[in-house]
Amino acid sequence: MLKIHLKIQRFNPEKDSKPWWGEYDLEAEETDRVLEALHNVKWYQDGTLALRRSCAHGICGSDAMRINGRNALACKVLVKEAGPKITVQPMLGLTVIKDLIVDMEPFFESYRKVMPYLVNDEDPGERERLQSPEERARFEDTTKCILCAACTTSCPSFWATSDYVGPAAIVQAHRFIYDSRDKAGAERLEIMADKTGVWRCRTAFNCVEACPRGIEVTRAINEVKLAVTMGRVP
Ligand code: FES
């Protein structure tokens, strides 16, 4: 068993005037992830600790948080890699509702803004709309996004200007702009060209480091910048 010391940023707006650190000592298995350590605290030491999680397998994206100063999914970080002293904080740039839970609504507002769905009113005919493997490959990487917000909330431009749609929304825009079946590319490029859009990216690369799915976020953003500059998908 590993002995670990967990320092968790706590804040209950109904009781606390400012955030404070909760400190917890516990034992963990070699194979435990930070999520299990947080469960240990919540279930056996302090039931008031608030966090989001669902799948526990890196799919739902609900447990993104700052672990030792870097955004990650708690269910994907092994305690033995993060420990023996682990600091856990809520993601930056979004309002804390309680402890590790942030208000995701501004994030999803930006997501909705880029029209994250296929637009094509043409009759698909007798068969589905086919694509070549090369056409599919153009947006393969950006289909992997799980909307955890780890990229957007690690971005200094997003911290500085909260009206910036952020990397995750641009990744979603890329997924449809580069889809040969989609017909709303011009509209999305206009949204991306807005002052809240793609030009707010300063290529800090924090998003690439934060993405738990290994998406080449900055590359996708640069491809959207290129399409905006050309007025079409190159
Ligand atoms: S709990 Fe679903 S991604 Fe971690």
Side-chain angles (χ1 to χ4, degrees):
M1 296 290 272
L2 304 168
K3 286 194 187 314
I4 58 168
H5 182 77
L6 208 53
K7 203 171 151 191
I8 307 173
Q9 187 178 311
R10 306 289 307 268
F11 179 61
N12 178 352
E14 290 177 6
K15 283 190 355 204
D16 304 323
S17 57
K18 58 179 192 228
W20 53 278
W21 291 104
E23 309 221 13
Y24 312 89
D25 290 304
L26 53 139
E27 293 196 329
E29 304 272 359
E30 280 271 321
T31 51
D32 277 357
R33 286 109 9 115
V34 171
L35 181 60
E36 268 115 23
L38 292 170
H39 280 162
N40 186 314
V41 171
K42 182 170 177 66
W43 295 340
Y44 303 109
Q45 298 197 36
D46 184 350
T48 66
L49 174 65
L51 68 145
R52 281 196 187 104
R53 80 278 186 265
S54 181
C55 72
H57 287 87
I59 299 299
C60 73
S62 59
D63 63 341
M65 54 190 74
R66 240 166 123 74
I67 299 171
N68 292 340
R70 292 179 178 209
N71 279 3
L73 298 176
C75 65
K76 284 193 79 174
V77 178
L78 284 168
V79 161
K80 68 176 177 190
E81 283 168 6
K85 291 189 177 170
I86 306 171
T87 305
V88 182
Q89 296 167 272
M91 294 186 288
L92 296 178
L94 294 170
T95 305
V96 175
I97 295 175
K98 191 183 175 199
D99 297 334
L100 302 173
I101 297 178
V102 293
D103 179 8
M104 293 286 281
E105 184 45 34
F107 173 81
F108 285 115
E109 198 181 310
S110 294
Y111 169 61
R112 290 191 289 269
K113 198 169 166 185
V114 304
M115 306 162 61
Y117 40 80
L118 192 88
V119 178
N120 189 334
D121 294 334
E122 290 169 8
D123 182 357
E126 302 232 324
R127 302 180 64 189
E128 65 220 83
R129 297 185 177 94
L130 296 179
Q131 281 184 311
S132 68
E134 292 74 27
E135 285 171 333
R136 177 65 176 76
R138 296 201 84 180
F139 62 95
E140 168 65 23
D141 197 36
T142 44
T143 62
K144 294 188 233 151
C145 177
I146 55 173
L147 296 172
C148 65
C151 62
T152 294
T153 59
S154 71
C155 172
S157 297
F158 177 74
W159 300 335
T161 48
S162 59
D163 62 345
Y164 170 38
V165 293
I170 301 172
V171 160
Q172 292 295 327
H174 177 283
R175 183 255 170 271
F176 292 99
I177 289 168
Y178 278 82
D179 186 332
S180 60
R181 300 164 301 177
D182 188 80
K183 301 293 176 202
E187 218 172 317
R188 284 196 200 87
L189 290 182
E190 213 170 294
I191 295 164
M192 289 289 102
D194 185 78
K195 65 178 178 13
T196 62
V198 78
W199 301 116
R200 289 273 170 113
C201 168
R202 296 288 187 267
T203 329
F205 281 96
N206 285 17
C207 50
V208 179
E209 193 186 318
C211 179
R213 305 283 292 168
I215 298 171
E216 293 182 83
V217 182
T218 306
R219 181 194 172 113
I221 294 173
N222 284 342
E223 287 183 358
V224 173
K225 283 179 178 171
L226 182 61
V228 168
T229 306
M230 295 176 75
R232 62 177 173 79
V233 171

